[in-house]
């Protein structure tokens, strides 16, 4: 029997996943800055501290490096921490523990431990928070073997992938775009998982493939809807997981459409679109390509404070429409 | 010795430091700046509510005496590093409110040409190397500026502001240690307003007095009433003079309180209304300072009213300047990323 | 008149550049762990502390985050620090200062400051130092606007590019492969610069282009020499700068050879080869491509301790030969 | 009360702690392990010179009493985190030298199946969560393990080893603070051998006694002679019992010295030959312990010789085991990167 499906916001979906985990698994606990009575900077943990107590919803001092290491240590000794960075930008303080310890510990110890650690990174621009609170750094972590990195784009996936992450024995890094938190979508009740490593064809089409991540999935769908009116039929792939990438789904799509546009918010250079493009260019799909592979990524600048400049620094729907149209029409 | 100082020395023995050290004119200047900080932030808050400013901001209302007391002994070319709650520091170090408003409005006439906003407000020409969006991010930078000062033998002192929450960051520890072993001319100022966002110092910090951590770096540490301008100025003067003499860093903890929430999205669930009201009613730094100024005959009611009026006018003009200033053009998006891009 | 040219090792060349800078510019100073009397973990600073004193060759405590921040603070207030990470892996501790502060400060402050900071990162595997002392993390920094990132491959460039970095008003990150330190090459005496942002055609050829970085330049040249015997004529480009990339040189080469192989030691996924490949796949050179773009990068694992596994984890000459041969012969 | 303890109580009042707390058998066991650590490292050094081990290694020769004294009160399922100079910790916590040698030789029979080497030596089954290549990298991990212990109410205590150099890392500060505010069952052990690589504590650390930094985290801090097994064991027992009672963390500083260079590439330019010779001649922990054991009649010359002989045999067998063990196959390169890959 199917679970009842409600409309929930993205942040409610994440919260519901955490509540289910806290309820069903005594090893699960939450750690982060102001996730207790404050409810989290983006109100994602909400009232979980009231429901599960301050011992399982831990407000930590402003100590990202140490806190991340505490989560690593707890993970290797039998717990299942969910660690929230208040902003993904603060991961810059904890790269040591994420990259040198969490990602490598199992390997360095020859398989003697697992590091079942989930970390959540509220990411992205659009809130007027300027250069140090608006970054999209997921590509850094996708460059690191030992980690899994996901970017759920919908409330449904946010819940299901978080629950999948909690079942994963290895460290899973979840990038959540801040502008998605308020977005609503259909979310089943109860426990379900959405597999890590599987992309979703959010819109089937035949004229070109757009591979998008996170909030860009929605912008790409909007662009696709607009272009449908012009008779251009775009396939939109929601990549969902950026390490490991679902090669097969992307390759099959490109073989079908012969055109590829990658859309992502992170800085274009060495953002995830670079990997998608390179993956296709060295794959069997190369021979199917009828046009250059186009990337639409963030500008080569920090995120500016001024709201107009801020918007101009990352791809917007009109940019995607223009790029996709040119790609399909063979202009560049 | 100033006139005020002479009068004071002749009178009661326990005249507060500021009334011994500064002239009445200077003290009235301090009051002016106190109001300027307060009204600047009220103006910014109001503009935010009207949708003229976007993003978020962290108001220091209630903490004005700390910023001004610390900056009191600083020379124009001394430097500071500031925090996300940095409007007060910026004004205290000499910035103009019109260019600050312009920055908040995202305009090219702003101190950061609209690229930084509240969280990166700076005025390099006045010695403010900038607010910082990263908690404790400015602490090592201040140490680096102090290292510069020592290497260049230019006599500058650097003041490093940060909050109680920042004192648990690794950067705090590493920075204070380096400043100490290299005897750098830097003064560390922990503005302890009781909370790092929602987390009280009792829940976040193993020691009760943050100044006690100074011992771990073999530097002097002192806790003062951060809402008492004179007490702060006295502690700062001691520390700045020590730094200027080449004897190394100090740590000052100013105990204070922010009247507003942490940022624009705070619902104040981690503290009580009573607590907030008590601080506002009993320990507002402007009220305290005005009372003291009157007690020592530095100003009267009319004088205070004149200060307030002057400040209101300055604020109104500042907002107008910001409103009518031009916004950056879209084509200028890459400016300032690299020096060769302008 | 040309300067006298001697044979110097890579580390001697770096040291000579620093000595020239210390001698000629009072703003220059060095900072790092054990760079004083110890001479640096790789003996790059050598006896500079004896020549210039401990005030200009500063042994800092083991405090990478704070130390990096001190360098940033000194740079914005008139000094020109050269900061040595003992191993590039420890950059994980200082990403906050590098990425949030050094890279963005000029931008966030609307151009009111410059951050003339040089950082040196001994990088790479091959020394048996295992997973936490062998990483190649340069792609992270090449993803960050505001930074310049270089990887000199020869003693000549190591000196000339370090001197160029010191003339640059913006932060320049230098990745030096540890195995190159002992390598000898011709180095002119005195001051000269090698421009940042310009690639070098290390070997002209017509059958395929290899774009390589750092130590891989030498391995690629070896492979090219071997394949020359088989009548395969490879062009080898030493990229030298990975931010900003010299698009023109790479594009022109690919237009000429119609085949591209990217060789780099970092983890393949999202390593610099991903960017090169994507850059070509979206450029005018796309239409000239006669074969998929191939990447040869590091394995999808941390660097293992066991020496055979360690070698197998990064591209070696036979791997390059096999890939290049297959690329030219159209097999894949 | 043990037999030794009874004898001691009956005898002189100032019998060292270890001779009151442990049986003669236990004490001889400690001596055995002291020699085992020493000989293991000499064996590793020798194998390195012969080209059987590659990479680098950090020898703890001269520091054996610290590792053993600290681990003395630990139960089998208590846990430790260790450092790049971690061979002694590993043996003290119960690892076998044959599998350690095998690891150094890069073999599949090694504790890390040849993936980790000296810098990542671990024995998870014996409670050693691993050495760490990152200075201070293990400190927060130890705090996390202690948080686990507290949450799981399993009574475990975690010991966190690190060096004097590590005490200036931000991770040290953040970790000690969290352990203190959450009252976690962890003991922080700073093995102060006077140098972080080439940099003396005097040049790197603002305070003279690192244990004094404990006050910044409101936890007990004590400095002991790290070359005196009994003194270390006593301090450790106090701290471990405190942790076990749920009263929170402690910081122990063991003052010691490494006879060898920092790593295989050290030329000892930062310290004098005399200094090294003095520590070797006058303060070698094994010599001191042997003298004490003889003084209290726990062992005689012949007994010592027997211990040495047993150790030599164990070492020889360990090296042989390592030599003859299989190396991992090239095809197994991706094993252990993810759990599903084995
Ligand atoms: C490294 C980092 N962690 C977390 C944050 C989010 N944050 C911004 S201000 C703040 C509280 C800071 O508290 P405190 O240092 O006491 O300064 P106050 O806000 O009280 O002035 C937090 C958690 C941040 N900006 N940077
Ligand atoms: C974060 C980090 N910085 C620097 C190093 C290089 N390094 C390895 S050990 C060491 C000295 C450590 O000194 P200490 O903590 O006193 O330990 P000891 O070597 O004396 O046992 C240094 C600088 C490292 N491994 N990790
Ligand atoms: Mg505070
Ligand atoms: Mg040491």
């Amino acid at each position: 029997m199917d679970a009842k499906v409600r409309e929930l916001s993205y942040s409610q979906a994440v919260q519901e996943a955490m509540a289910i985990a806290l309820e069903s698994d005594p090893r699960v606990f939450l750690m982060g800055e102001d996730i207790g009575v404050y409810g989290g900077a983006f109100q994602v943990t909400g009232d979980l501290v009231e429901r599960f107590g301050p011992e399982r919803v831990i407000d930590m001092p402003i100590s990202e490096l140490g806190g991340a290491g505490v989560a690593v240590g707890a993970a290797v000794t039998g717990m299942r921490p969910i660690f929230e960075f208040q902003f993904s930008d603060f991961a810059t303080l904890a790269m040591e523990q994420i990259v040198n310890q969490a990602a490598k510990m199992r390997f360095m110890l020859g398989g003697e431990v697992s590091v079942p650690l989930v970390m959540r990174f509220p990411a992205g621009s659009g809130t007027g928070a300027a250069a140090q609170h608006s970054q999209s750094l997921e590509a850094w972590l996708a460059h690191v073997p030992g980690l899994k990195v996901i970017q759920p784009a919908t409330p449904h996936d946010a819940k299901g992938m978080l629950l999948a992450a909690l079942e994963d024995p290895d460290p899973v890094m979840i990038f959540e775009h801040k502008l998605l938190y308020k977005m609503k979508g259909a979310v089943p009740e109860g426990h379900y998982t959405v597999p890590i490593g599987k992309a979703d064809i959010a819109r089937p089409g035949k004229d070109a493939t757009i591979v998008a991540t996170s909030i860009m999935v929605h912008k790409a769908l909007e662009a696709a809807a607009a272009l449908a009116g012009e008779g251009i039929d775009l396939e939109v792939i929601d990549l969902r997981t950026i390490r490991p990438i679902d090669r097969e789904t992307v390759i099959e799509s490109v073989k079908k459409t012969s055109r590829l546009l990658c859309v992502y918010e992170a800085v274009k250079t060495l953002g995830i679109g670079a990997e998608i493009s390179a993956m296709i260019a060295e794959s069997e799909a190369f021979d199917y390509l009828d046009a250059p592979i186009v990337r639409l990524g963030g500008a080569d600048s920090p995120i500016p404070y001024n709201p107009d400049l801020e918007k101009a620094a990352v791809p917007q729907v009109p940019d995607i429409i223009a790029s996709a149209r040119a790609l399909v029409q063979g202009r560049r | 010795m100033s006139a005020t100082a002479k009068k004071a020395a002749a009178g009661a023995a326990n005249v507060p430091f500021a009334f011994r050290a500064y002239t009445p004119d200077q003290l009235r200047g301090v009051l002016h700046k106190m109001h300027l900080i307060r009204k600047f932030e009220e103006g910014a808050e109001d503009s935010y509510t009207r949708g003229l400013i976007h993003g978020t901001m962290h108001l220091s209302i209630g903490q004005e005496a700390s910023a001004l007391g610390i900056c009191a002994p600083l020379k124009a070319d001394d430097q500071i590093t500031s925090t996300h709650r940095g409007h007060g520091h910026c004004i205290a170090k000499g910035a103009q409110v019109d260019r600050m408003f312009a920055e908040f409005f995202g305009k090219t006439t702003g101190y950061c040409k609209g690229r930084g906003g509240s969280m990166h407000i700076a005025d390099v020409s006045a010695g403010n190397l900038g607010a910082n969006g990263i908690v404790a991010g400015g602490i090592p930078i201040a140490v680096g500026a102090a290292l510069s000062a020592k290497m260049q033998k230019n006599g500058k002192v650097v003041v490093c502001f940060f909050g109680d929450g920042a004192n648990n960051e690794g950067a705090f520890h590493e920075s204070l240690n380096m400043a100490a072993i290299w005897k750098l001319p830097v003064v560390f100022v922990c503005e302890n307003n009781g909370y790092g966002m929602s987390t009280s110092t009792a829940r976040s910090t193993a020691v009760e007095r943050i100044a006690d951590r100074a011992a771990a770096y073999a530097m002097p540490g002192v806790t003062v009433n951060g809402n008492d301008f004179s007490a702060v100025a006295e502690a700062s003067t001691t520390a700045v003079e020590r730094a200027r003499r080449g004897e190394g860093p100090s740590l000052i903890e100013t105990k204070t309180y922010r009247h507003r929430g942490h940022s624009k999205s705070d619902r104040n669930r981690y503290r009580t209304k009573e607590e907030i009201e008590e601080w506002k009613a009993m320990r507002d730094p402007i009220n305290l300072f005005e009372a003291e100024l009157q007690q020592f005959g530095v100003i009267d009611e009319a004088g205070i009213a004149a200060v307030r009026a002057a400040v209101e006018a300055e604020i109104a003009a500042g907002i107008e300047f910001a409103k009518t200033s031009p916004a950056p053009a879209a084509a200028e998006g890459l400016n300032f990323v690299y020096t060769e891009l302008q």
Side-chain angles (χ1 to χ4, degrees), chain A residues 32-43 46-47 50 54 57-65 86-87 89-90 92-93 126-133 135 299-310 312, chain B residues 53-56 103-107 113-120 131-135 165-166 168-171 196-199 203-205 262-263 265-270 327-334 337-338:
Chain A
E33 288 159 9
D34 307 291
I35 64 168
V37 61
Y38 197 94
F42 298 99
Q43 294 301 315
D47 65 353
E50 277 139 55
V57 181
I58 303 179
D59 266 341
M60 62 175 222
I62 312 178
S63 305
E64 288 81 4
L65 174 61
Q86 197 162 87
F87 285 76
D89 311 71
F90 311 153
T92 49
L93 284 156
T127 67
Q132 294 175 332
H133 283 72
Q135 293 170 85
D300 223 0
S301 84
I303 298 294
Y305 165 70
N306 173 286
D308 296 323
L309 293 185
E310 183 184 18
Chain B
I53 297 179
H54 83 141
T56 190
E103 184 56 36
F104 289 24
F105 281 57
K107 301 300 182 68
K113 304 198 179 69
R115 270 64 172 188
S118 158
M119 219 158 3
H120 304 292
N132 210 306
I134 304 296
V135 166
N168 295 315
E169 284 280 9
M197 203 153 156
S198 70
T199 309
R203 291 203 295 134
S204 70
T205 306
H262 166 72
S263 68
S265 56
D266 187 347
R267 291 171 298 167
N268 277 315
R269 288 199 290 199
Y270 51 88
E332 294 167 358
L334 294 186
V337 180
Y338 294 98

Side-chain angles (χ1 to χ4, degrees), chain B residues 163-165 191 193-196:
Chain B
D164 47 287
E191 300 193 301
N193 57 13
Y195 299 91

Side-chain angles (χ1 to χ4, degrees), chain A residues 94-277:
Chain A
M95 293 302 277
E96 195 291 281
Q97 285 291 330
I98 300 172
V99 173
N100 296 329
Q101 314 293 343
K104 299 181 172 51
M105 200 159 168
R106 176 174 177 77
F107 183 83
M108 293 186 303
L109 269 55
E112 292 297 314
V113 294
S114 282
V115 188
L117 168 65
V118 174
M119 290 184 148
R120 298 181 35 249
F121 304 79
S125 68
T127 67
Q132 294 175 332
H133 283 72
S134 305
Q135 293 170 85
S136 298
L137 300 172
E138 63 278 357
W140 282 359
L141 298 186
H143 186 44
V144 179
L147 303 178
K148 297 184 178 178
V149 186
I150 65 178
Q151 292 187 282
T154 65
H156 176 275
D157 289 355
K159 178 177 170 184
M161 296 190 90
L162 177 49
L163 288 170
L166 283 163
E167 289 179 0
D168 199 292
D170 298 313
V172 180
M173 309 286 119
I174 310 181
F175 283 77
E176 302 165 354
H177 199 290
K178 285 165 268 177
L179 294 186
L180 290 178
Y181 281 134
K182 297 230 161 97
M183 189 215 218
K184 299 224 163 191
V187 178
E189 280 186 344
H191 186 279
Y192 68 94
T193 60
V194 173
I196 292 170
K198 276 300 297 166
D200 178 44
I201 299 177
R203 182 189 200 282
K206 61 176 183 8
D207 293 335
T209 300
I210 300 187
V211 176
T213 52
S214 190
I215 195 168
M216 291 299 158
V217 172
H218 305 287
K219 295 192 184 177
L221 287 170
E222 244 186 85
L227 286 174
E230 299 180 17
I232 294 176
D233 184 18
L234 296 172
E235 176 145 313
V236 176
I237 295 181
D238 173 359
L239 197 57
R240 295 204 289 207
T241 299
I242 63 168
R243 167 171 279 271
I245 292 176
D246 182 352
R247 294 183 81 238
E248 209 185 303
T249 299
V250 180
I251 288 174
E252 285 313 310
S253 175
V254 175
K255 280 163 75 173
K256 182 175 73 176
T257 66
S258 299
R259 289 180 153 79
L260 174 59
L261 169 63
C262 306
V263 188
Y264 51 109
E265 174 165 330
V267 170
K268 180 180 170 185
T269 305
L270 280 163
I272 191 65
E275 182 59 31
I276 312 284
S277 171

Side-chain angles (χ1 to χ4, degrees), chain B residues 234-253:
Chain B
E234 184 166 16
S236 183
T237 302
T238 305
V240 168
E241 284 175 355
R242 176 181 146 89
R244 191 103 59 203
R245 286 194 305 269
E247 292 169 19
S250 310
L251 172 59
I252 300 173
E253 175 186 14

Side-chain angles (χ1 to χ4, degrees), chain B residues 185-209:
Chain B
V186 52
V187 178
F188 298 102
V189 179
C190 180
E191 300 193 301
N192 182 352
N193 57 13
Y195 299 91
M197 203 153 156
S198 70
T199 309
S200 67
T201 54
R203 291 203 295 134
S204 70
T205 306
V207 286
E208 220 186 286
R209 288 159 59 105

